[in-house]
Amino acid sequence: SQQGEEDPQALSIQEGENATMNCSYKTSINNLQWYRQNSGRGLVHLILIRSNEREKHSGRLRVTLDTSKKSSSLLITASRAADTASYFCACGSSNTGKLIFGQGTTLQVKP
Amino acid sequence: SQTIHQWPATLVQPVGSPLSLECTVEGTSNPNLYWYRQAAGRGLQLLFYSVGIGQISSEVPQNLSASRPQDRQFILSSKKLLLSDSGFYLCAWSSEVRNQPQHFGDGTRLSIL
């Protein structure tokens, strides 16, 4: 499968703690993207990291990419209750030009 | 700014009935358009994508079809719904450049009885 696979499937932390989610993939990629989905809503694009980049920051988000291990991680620092959502990685396949989504990590941040 | 509209938000249909879900995009031209299905607690399965009017690519064999009658309009249809068609359907658009971020509508929750 070319799909990204997220780990863990579910994560529960206290407000203020950091949350780390991991994504592994099998295909050759142009970029890797992270999305957030609130319950019952559409996905919202968070951040894109290109295959020639190793780390990228956006506010409280930090994304790393290791193309040799075919893995990426999303770190949310100083989490808030409002960060409670599902987070998906999506691989931009260099073969097909399409995005291939993982199964997601469900994050619960307790106030 | 660009916006995407998807309706209805929820739909309950009997088995064997037809289906039409509509998605429209504003504020951009010649977008790539996508229909996804999401099972409960799962990731997204790409059903159809379109790079232009009348150009539809199907990703998986199924009971559904898609059409793009206008540049910014994408329609998901079925002549006869099956129980297995239940799910959360999401429409998305991206720029025509490969692997760009996708922007999603709020989805349609479809329940088949």
Side-chain angles (χ1 to χ4, degrees):
Chain A
S1 166
Q2 296 180 342
Q3 261 186 334
E5 297 180 1
E6 275 105 335
D7 169 57
Q9 289 188 334
L11 182 60
S12 181
I13 59 174
Q14 293 294 134
E15 208 165 27
E17 294 179 340
N18 296 341
T20 299
M21 290 160 265
N22 303 296
C23 171
S24 60
Y25 59 92
K26 296 180 181 178
T27 189
S28 175
I29 63 170
N30 286 328
N31 61 53
L32 190 141
Q33 303 174 31
W34 286 90
Y35 289 78
R36 166 195 170 122
Q37 183 181 33
N38 287 354
S39 181
R41 302 297 297 273
L43 279 70
V44 175
H45 179 259
L46 294 175
I47 195 166
L48 179 154
I49 186 166
R50 294 183 175 81
S51 60
N52 61 353
E53 297 177 310
R54 292 296 166 258
E55 188 171 312
K56 201 160 184 180
H57 297 253
S58 176
R60 291 185 296 113
L61 305 180
R62 173 179 167 248
V63 169
T64 61
L65 178 64
D66 186 336
T67 52
S68 66
K69 295 181 179 178
K70 294 193 173 181
S71 66
S72 174
S73 67
L74 171 67
L75 169 67
I76 304 175
T77 60
S79 64
R80 305 166 182 169
D83 294 328
T84 294
S86 292
Y87 292 84
F88 295 87
C89 67
C91 304
S93 170
S94 55
N95 296 327
T96 66
K98 300 172 200 169
L99 288 184
I100 304 168
F101 286 83
Q103 298 299 300
T105 293
T106 300
L107 172 66
Q108 182 186 28
V109 181
K110 300 175 184 176
Chain B
S1 65
Q2 302 91 355
T3 56
I4 180 168
H5 303 280
Q6 186 181 345
W7 68 92
T10 59
L11 189 59
V12 180
Q13 293 284 100
V15 170
S17 64
L19 173 73
S20 180
L21 301 181
E22 189 163 342
C23 173
T24 59
V25 180
E26 296 176 358
T28 187
S29 58
N30 200 32
N32 289 344
L33 296 172
Y34 309 85
W35 278 111
Y36 291 91
R37 178 167 56 206
Q38 184 178 31
R42 304 280 293 175
L44 276 66
Q45 179 187 35
L46 180 62
L47 302 176
F48 301 95
Y49 73 96
S50 171
V51 299
I53 295 175
Q55 300 178 61
I56 308 294
S57 295
S58 174
E59 289 297 294
V60 292
Q62 58 205 316
N63 185 40
L64 302 168
S65 62
S67 61
R68 184 171 177 173
Q70 301 180 46
D71 181 45
R72 288 168 287 180
Q73 183 185 28
F74 206 23
I75 297 172
L76 183 69
S77 304
S78 174
K79 292 181 180 178
K80 276 188 173 183
L81 285 167
L82 306 172
L83 283 174
S84 58
D85 292 323
S86 291
F88 190 50
Y89 289 84
L90 289 157
C91 180
W93 74 271
S94 70
S95 76
E96 53 190 317
V97 179
R98 287 161 67 99
N99 297 153
Q100 289 304 295
Q102 295 184 11
H103 308 278
F104 286 79
D106 277 337
T108 295
R109 176 76 58 193
L110 176 63
S111 299
I112 310 299
L113 303 179

